Amino acid sequence: MMPKSRTTVSLLLLPLVLWLPCLPHILGQNVVPFEYHDYSQVTQVLREFHQNYSDITHLYSIGQSVQGRELWVIAISDNPTVHEVGEPEVQYVGNIHGNEVIGKELLLHLLEHLAGGYGKNGTISSYLNTTRVHILPAMNPDGLQGSLEGDCYSSIGRENARSYDLNRNFPDKFEVNTQPIQPETQAIMNWTRSIPFSLSAIFHGGAVVANYPWDNTPLGQNGPSIYSRSPDDDIYRHLALTYSENHGTMHQGDICSGDFFEDGISNGADWYPLRGGMQDWVYIHGECLTVTLEVSCCKYPTQDQLGDHWTQNKNSLIELLLQVHRGIKGQVFINGTDVPVSEATVTIGDRDNTFHTTSDGEFWRILVPGQYSVTVSKAGFSSETRTVIVPGNLTFSAVIEDFYLVENGTSSAPNASVPSLTFIITSTLICLLKVKTVF
Ligand SMILES: [Zn+2]
């Protein structure tokens, strides 16, 4: 009797078993389980999200790994396939070291949170209507495939398939990097140059700290650990603190054995200098503020810890996204026309760095609250300097300041010095965000 009974029960359950994998589709949304996703499973999750949220997602590849795996990116926004003029772009990159896997999983859960919240949660909807977020869960899929769950400390799987550490493979600001540029690195470089990213985060494991440029120093990676201050040190400290203070434990600074980071943040080279890091390259060549987020003491913890990691990082991931709307943004035009000026330089005070306008004349500068002198200049035009106040409250738009440059040899047209009405509007109409309670 028993065998017959078991058979009957099994047959009765069969339709249910076959139906279960379809459940997320039937509910009209995806659910990412707290289980590890290898390369093919990451690909599958991204495809399903794109299928179920086709209006707000765009799935694309930025290139291939050494072993031919696609480097998948999913963009999420109200209009995900194009850059919309004035909208800032954010880049989140996981798994640059193949054996540091928590960031990859966090990014899949973040995708679920954003996609599932669009149209239901007011803050998520407003954010995605004013911002495009690009998520690359696995930058080093070849290394990932060779990594081992439970391996906290080894370097197995860290490098790409040609044994290059991708976070030592970028051209360096301070010293010559003789490493041949790897396909994964080249893909990141091409991608970063093709989209005007304003904010980037790169996820690692092996520590719990929010780290910011510079990663190298004038003395090089074999020199001492010293604070290597970038021109945007104030806003970098703010971005790093945003992550650590909203994280479940990072701000305590002593989460991993033997480490102590005051407030859970560190200047990169003050921790240890390194040559060829992605962070410094994206900052310089992407003209994009970039932080490195170390999110787990163990590089590849056991799967049962994934839920806790999401809980610890969820608010931080979202709070950091919102910071892209801090500071100023605008467009630069030829005075008296609606013709944009591309490749104009936008300088904040005496900060020794250069940000350029896009082909639509756009610029973004993330800034902490305060008063700034903003200068826009380009050869062949008279430069213009203006004082701008960045408020403390956070909104879905930076302060908008458009500039109208007068071509040399021409007279100034009426709108050369018109105060920005948009600044007044954004300062008065925008609503305050209290993210912890809203999300
Ligand atoms: Zn790493």
Side-chain angles (χ1 to χ4, degrees):
M1 287 298 291
M2 283 301 290
K4 186 179 179 185
S5 175
R6 279 183 185 154
T7 303
T8 304
V9 171
S10 298
L11 287 172
L12 287 171
L13 286 174
L14 186 59
L16 180 62
V17 171
L18 292 173
W19 179 75
L20 276 175
C22 304
L23 188 59
H25 302 280
I26 290 169
L27 294 176
Q29 61 183 13
N30 287 89
V31 176
V32 178
F34 288 108
E35 297 170 359
Y36 278 122
H37 297 80
D38 63 15
Y39 169 73
S40 64
Q41 290 165 328
V42 168
T43 304
Q44 179 67 16
V45 166
L46 296 182
R47 283 184 172 143
E48 287 183 5
F49 268 98
H50 178 50
Q51 186 179 342
N52 292 337
Y53 297 95
S54 56
D55 289 347
I56 58 165
T57 61
H58 171 45
L59 182 60
Y60 62 100
S61 170
I62 60 168
Q64 292 187 336
S65 66
V66 168
Q67 294 179 340
R69 296 184 172 94
E70 301 291 344
L71 304 177
W72 293 115
V73 174
I74 192 161
I76 180 164
S77 184
D78 63 327
N79 204 350
T81 58
V82 295
H83 169 70
E84 293 186 87
V85 172
E87 275 197 15
E89 309 262 4
V90 182
Q91 176 189 67
Y92 269 13
V93 175
N95 206 205
I96 180 173
H97 290 141
N99 61 335
E100 298 170 14
V101 296
I102 293 298
K104 164 176 60 75
E105 300 299 328
L106 293 178
L107 292 178
L108 295 180
H109 288 285
L110 178 65
L111 172 62
E112 175 188 341
H113 186 69
L114 294 176
Y118 187 75
K120 298 171 186 155
N121 177 303
T123 303
I124 291 176
S125 302
S126 296
Y127 186 76
L128 293 179
N129 285 338
T130 56
T131 325
R132 188 162 62 151
V133 180
H134 303 253
I135 295 172
L136 168 55
M139 176 181 160
N140 182 6
D142 297 351
L144 168 66
Q145 292 305 97
S147 303
L148 302 168
E149 182 178 346
D151 182 358
C152 290
Y153 305 112
S154 92
S155 296
I156 298 170
R158 175 183 175 91
E159 299 162 341
N160 77 345
R162 291 186 189 135
S163 300
Y164 284 98
D165 182 334
L166 299 176
N167 204 35
R168 304 291 185 277
N169 194 235
F170 285 80
D172 192 86
K173 171 181 171 63
F174 296 98
E175 56 184 325
V176 174
N177 190 354
T178 58
Q179 285 193 5
I181 294 175
Q182 296 302 294
E184 297 89 348
T185 307
Q186 189 64 56
I188 291 286
M189 293 166 67
N190 296 344
W191 178 44
T192 302
R193 284 181 166 132
S194 70
I195 293 171
F197 292 113
S198 299
L199 177 63
S200 172
I202 309 158
F203 293 83
H204 289 253
V208 174
V209 61
N211 170 312
Y212 53 92
W214 302 112
D215 264 336
N216 206 351
T217 86
L219 301 174
Q221 79 168 6
N222 296 322
S225 297
I226 55 171
Y227 198 109
S228 191
R229 191 178 306 274
S230 80
D232 293 304
D233 194 69
D234 54 350
I235 187 65
Y236 270 128
R237 287 183 55 82
H238 169 80
L239 294 173
L241 283 169
T242 294
Y243 203 89
S244 70
E245 289 178 348
N246 287 285
H247 187 278
T249 59
M250 185 182 285
H251 57 279
Q252 296 169 17
D254 59 351
I255 303 307
C256 308
S257 177
D259 283 345
F260 179 74
F261 302 101
E262 190 172 351
D263 299 322
I265 69 172
S266 180
N267 172 262
D270 196 26
W271 184 13
Y272 61 92
L274 62 90
R275 176 178 56 235
M278 176 172 163
Q279 171 167 267
D280 288 0
W281 189 91
V282 171
Y283 178 32
I284 299 167
H285 300 278
E287 301 183 359
C288 170
L289 296 188
T290 312
V291 290
T292 294
L293 303 169
E294 302 271 359
V295 292
S296 62
C297 298
C298 178
K299 293 179 179 180
Y300 202 149
T302 51
Q303 185 169 269
D304 58 308
Q305 298 177 45
L306 286 176
D308 286 343
H309 280 293
W310 170 243
T311 301
Q312 303 279 357
N313 284 276
K314 176 183 170 186
N315 287 342
S316 300
L317 289 161
I318 294 161
E319 285 274 6
L320 184 62
L321 283 178
L322 290 163
Q323 302 307 311
V324 77
H325 290 299
R326 195 177 281 288
I328 67 168
K329 68 176 184 179
Q331 278 180 280
V332 181
F333 300 99
I334 297 176
N335 191 51
T337 77
D338 58 0
V339 178
V341 179
S342 63
E343 293 299 312
T345 62
V346 180
T347 307
I348 306 296
D350 58 358
R351 287 171 199 239
D352 181 21
N353 58 12
T354 306
F355 283 56
H356 295 90
T357 54
T358 67
S359 58
D360 288 310
E362 307 152 284
F363 68 89
W364 296 263
R365 293 298 303 255
I366 302 176
L367 297 164
V368 294
Q371 180 172 302
Y372 297 90
S373 171
V374 182
T375 299
V376 176
S377 59
K378 180 167 180 172
F381 294 84
S382 298
S383 64
E384 183 183 349
T385 298
R386 191 183 299 167
T387 299
V388 179
I389 295 172
V390 173
N393 58 320
L394 187 58
T395 74
F396 295 110
S397 173
V399 174
I400 300 172
E401 285 285 331
D402 293 337
F403 286 77
Y404 299 88
L405 297 188
V406 177
E407 284 186 273
N408 292 342
T410 63
S411 60
S412 175
N415 64 354
S417 300
V418 175
S420 172
L421 180 60
T422 46
F423 166 64
I424 299 167
I425 293 171
T426 51
S427 299
T428 52
L429 293 184
I430 43 187
C431 58
L432 292 172
L433 288 181
K434 190 61 182 171
V435 180
K436 282 181 188 170
T437 53
V438 176
F439 273 89

